[in-house]
Amino acid sequence: MHTIFITGGAGFIGSALVRLLVQETDWRIVNIDKLTYAGNLESLAEARTHPRHCFARVDICDRPALERLFTEFRPSGVIHLAAETHVDRSILGPAEFIKTNIEGTYVLLEAALDYWRTLDDSARRDFRFHHVSTDEVFGSLGPQGFFTETTAYDPRSPYSASKAASDHLVRAWHHTYGLPILITNCSNNYGPYQFPEKLIPLMILNALADKPLPIYGRGDNVRDWLYVEDHARALKLVFERGQPGATYCIGGHNEKTNLEVVDAICALLDRLRPRADGRSHAHLKTFVADRPGHDKRYAIDASKIRRELGWQPLETFATGLEKTVRWYLDNAQWVEHVQTGEYRQWIEKNYGSRS
Ligand code: NAD
Ligand code: TYD
């Protein structure tokens, strides 16, 4: 039986990956997560108590704790998702981004390399260190063109710069020390269990609470949206079948302006949860000051992963968005726990600062 480390497995994408792997493989999953404000064990649903899921509350900057985990569990691979991820937070306070995304990735690489060197030849060949990254490392596109695996790095926000730095470290550990790595660069994700500071859940929950829907600038920035479960399937495929040392771009070919996204959410809510006063939720749209350095457009050319590994998304933007809106309507308790801090209090009571 394989044992796999997933870092950041209590976050939005990590928890989708843990739920998928518990369901579709016989692997033992060691979920390594510090449980920052963005980590939530409730997002794991049934996977949380599954006998093949094991949770370790560990900071990826804590080398001795990581070494203990490698020695105890002897994994055959790592899928690394733990990160600080919200661009607006990175603008207000970059320090945590530098710490977790750059230093944390470095510490994890060192712990993984030390462990990898203790393996026999065949286990070394089979080991994978899969680093999960973002298309934001490539910077901002004009109206034409797509990011591919060979696009030059040009990060512009503290978040994307910290992710770019971590990508470079991971590649350096491959070229210099031979660690068998994989890197995936994915476009914007959406779906269930996303922390409500990101565009789509924020808009859904603000609309339901009759609060303004804050649209930065003119709302004409473009993102390429991918349903989170499609991303999780892509990660599983790359981890199992990707070429060591290779990069794969992952995206949904769902380019939308922010205004189109907000309008689509309002239309879904008007149908699924009409307002008592009969007005459209769209009347809550409010244009606010733009994000400093706001990247104009992201779009992924995902032909390599489709051609080489046969991956393609199962959801269109319309089907994925409807599933997402329905999920937020049906999971008011998860939302309430996240918003009221009840979950954080539960964590402190049950886990304290224990690692
Ligand atoms: P998230 O913010 O929802 O979750 C991040 C998780 O990492 C949380 O559970 C948090 O507790 C954990 N974490 C943070 N700092 C840690 C530390 N020092 N040690 C251990 N755990 C720590 O993020 P997400 O949206 O699920 O993104 C996961 C990964 O995917 C990130 O690396 C991100 O850069 C990448 N990514 C995200 C998107 C997206 O649209 N969300 C797109 C492409 C790539
Ligand atoms: P976000 O979900 O923060 O993802 P990212 O910045 O990593 O792409 O934002 C998605 C887009 O939505 C981005 O262009 C910024 C915009 N946005 C708003 O217009 N209003 C908001 O309140 C937020 C959070 C984002």
Side-chain angles (χ1 to χ4, degrees), residues 86-87 136 188 197-199 202 214 216 223 258 291 294:
H86 187 41
V87 174
E136 302 189 27
N188 286 60
E197 65 187 354
K198 304 276 170 76
L199 179 74
L202 180 84
Y216 299 161
R223 298 293 183 261
N258 294 334
R291 170 188 281 172
H294 196 173

Side-chain angles (χ1 to χ4, degrees), residues 11-13 33-34 36 39 59-60 81 85 100 133 159 163 189:
F12 166 51
I13 301 170
D33 199 296
K34 178 183 171 182
T36 66
D59 185 332
I60 55 163
L81 296 100
T85 63
T100 285
S133 192
Y159 164 65
K163 289 296 290 189
N189 283 215

Side-chain angles (χ1 to χ4, degrees), residues 21-326:
L21 295 181
V22 159
Q23 215 168 41
E24 293 196 358
T25 70
D26 59 1
W27 306 345
R28 178 169 62 161
I29 307 298
V30 181
N31 182 350
I32 300 171
D33 199 296
K34 178 183 171 182
L35 296 179
T36 66
Y37 78 96
N40 188 343
L41 293 173
E42 287 180 39
S43 303
L44 292 161
E46 301 87 65
R48 183 166 137 202
T49 51
H50 194 282
R52 284 185 286 101
H53 174 257
C54 169
F55 179 71
R57 189 180 190 190
V58 163
D59 185 332
I60 55 163
C61 299
D62 183 346
R63 172 106 184 244
L66 289 175
E67 281 171 359
R68 282 195 296 275
L69 291 175
F70 275 105
T71 306
E72 181 180 349
F73 290 102
R74 307 198 58 75
S76 48
V78 176
I79 308 182
H80 172 38
L81 296 100
E84 288 292 334
T85 63
H86 187 41
V87 174
D88 293 324
R89 283 183 188 251
S90 83
I91 294 168
L92 292 169
E96 281 302 309
F97 289 72
I98 305 305
K99 180 100 184 139
T100 285
N101 300 1
I102 305 179
E103 187 187 330
T105 300
Y106 157 70
V107 170
L108 183 64
L109 279 166
E110 284 288 73
L113 181 66
D114 270 5
Y115 161 75
W116 179 73
R117 285 175 162 158
T118 68
L119 301 175
D120 63 31
D121 283 352
S122 134
R124 269 194 202 199
R125 251 194 325 273
D126 292 345
F127 187 86
R128 296 287 179 271
F129 184 103
H130 178 166
H131 176 59
V132 178
S133 192
T134 164
D135 61 354
E136 302 189 27
V137 298
F138 301 125
S140 181
L141 290 166
Q144 308 294 325
F146 297 92
F147 298 135
T148 72
E149 289 75 8
T150 55
T151 303
Y153 275 53
D154 185 22
R156 288 141 179 265
S157 73
Y159 164 65
S160 55
S162 69
K163 289 296 290 189
S166 64
D167 291 13
H168 292 321
L169 291 174
V170 172
R171 278 196 192 95
W173 260 242
H174 175 64
H175 289 289
T176 309
Y177 307 112
L179 188 69
I181 63 104
L182 295 155
I183 297 183
T184 47
N185 295 94
C186 187
S187 61
N188 286 60
N189 283 215
Y190 68 101
Y193 300 105
Q194 187 167 30
F195 193 82
E197 65 187 354
K198 304 276 170 76
L199 179 74
I200 289 183
L202 180 84
M203 295 296 164
I204 298 170
L205 298 178
N206 276 18
L208 289 172
D210 201 24
K211 290 185 184 161
L213 308 179
I215 297 165
Y216 299 161
R218 293 199 308 233
D220 55 357
N221 299 66
V222 173
R223 298 293 183 261
D224 177 1
W225 293 95
L226 181 67
Y227 191 65
V228 67
E229 290 173 11
D230 280 326
H231 187 192
R233 286 190 307 104
L235 295 176
K236 174 174 179 281
L237 203 57
V238 170
F239 181 74
E240 286 180 300
R241 303 203 358 236
Q243 199 59 31
T247 296
Y248 297 86
C249 283
I250 307 172
H253 278 294
N254 278 314
E255 283 185 60
K256 303 282 171 210
T257 65
N258 294 334
L259 208 48
E260 285 171 331
V261 171
V262 176
D263 282 332
I265 291 168
C266 290
L268 278 164
L269 288 173
D270 289 346
R271 174 156 62 83
L272 300 173
R273 184 69 62 86
R275 290 169 56 93
D277 63 8
R279 298 177 78 186
S280 167
H281 291 88
H283 86 274
L284 296 167
K285 286 190 296 187
T286 308
F287 291 91
V288 300
D290 209 353
R291 170 188 281 172
H294 196 173
D295 286 341
K296 187 71 184 177
R297 174 172 168 256
Y298 304 142
I300 285 274
D301 173 353
S303 49
K304 177 180 175 185
I305 185 172
R306 189 177 60 237
R307 197 176 54 245
E308 293 189 8
L309 303 180
W311 175 85
Q312 56 181 24
L314 296 178
E315 301 293 341
T316 64
F317 189 65
T319 60
L321 192 65
E322 176 154 354
K323 279 189 180 179
T324 306
V325 170
R326 285 184 186 277

